[in-house]
Amino acid sequence: MTNGLISGIALAILMLGSALALRYAENAGAIGADDARRAIQVLIGLMLAGYANLMPKRGRGVGSLLAQARVQTALRIGGWSLTMAGLAYAGLWAFAPLEIADTAGLFAVAAATLLTLGYAVWAFTACRRDRGTSTSR
């Protein structure tokens, strides 16, 4: 737990430091406001991809073997879809026009979130349904 807390604090300091550095560069005239916005959004997308990539590694073995398998599958699907969404978000903010990056980036993350939640709900209701039918036999 301490290792995760330290890395989380380090990433927060990195994000705040990056935002401050970008603001300073913008005020100094080294970069424009759009460039600073793009850079921070790219960092947000990369952090989403990084955290999502860690999702499957944080699963716990609680419940039946079927429940554990479904939890792990839900974590893998969530990790995969949110990692891809984070990379798409970063890529859009790096290269697409601002209006497209804003809308398409939001759509990519929302679609990945809905896919993750939808699969998790389906898997857990299927697990409950399977458990209910196996106890009645």
Side-chain angles (χ1 to χ4, degrees):
M1 183 174 129
T2 305
N3 192 21
L5 181 64
I6 291 171
S7 63
I9 290 171
L11 284 174
I13 290 170
L14 174 71
M15 284 297 290
L16 290 171
S18 298
L20 287 172
L22 288 167
R23 177 65 67 179
Y24 179 77
E26 181 185 343
N27 289 339
I31 61 173
D34 288 345
D35 295 333
R37 182 177 176 207
R38 281 183 183 276
I40 203 69
Q41 294 297 334
V42 167
L43 283 173
I44 289 170
L46 292 175
M47 291 194 75
L48 172 62
Y51 270 111
N53 190 44
L54 296 175
M55 274 179 64
K57 297 164 184 74
R58 296 189 183 256
R60 293 185 181 165
V62 178
S64 69
L65 291 177
L66 177 62
Q68 290 177 25
R70 290 212 168 125
V71 165
Q72 190 61 42
T73 303
L75 288 171
R76 284 183 182 154
I77 287 174
W80 177 83
S81 65
L82 289 169
T83 297
M84 293 298 113
L87 293 174
Y89 188 88
L92 285 164
W93 275 100
F95 302 112
L98 288 176
E99 302 79 26
I100 293 173
D102 198 17
T103 305
L106 176 66
F107 178 76
V109 174
T113 303
L114 289 174
L115 174 69
T116 301
L117 290 174
Y119 183 82
V121 167
W122 174 82
F124 296 129
T125 55
C127 191
R128 288 185 66 112
R129 186 177 53 244
D130 293 345
R131 184 181 68 180
T133 57
S134 66
T135 58
S136 63
R137 291 181 193 176

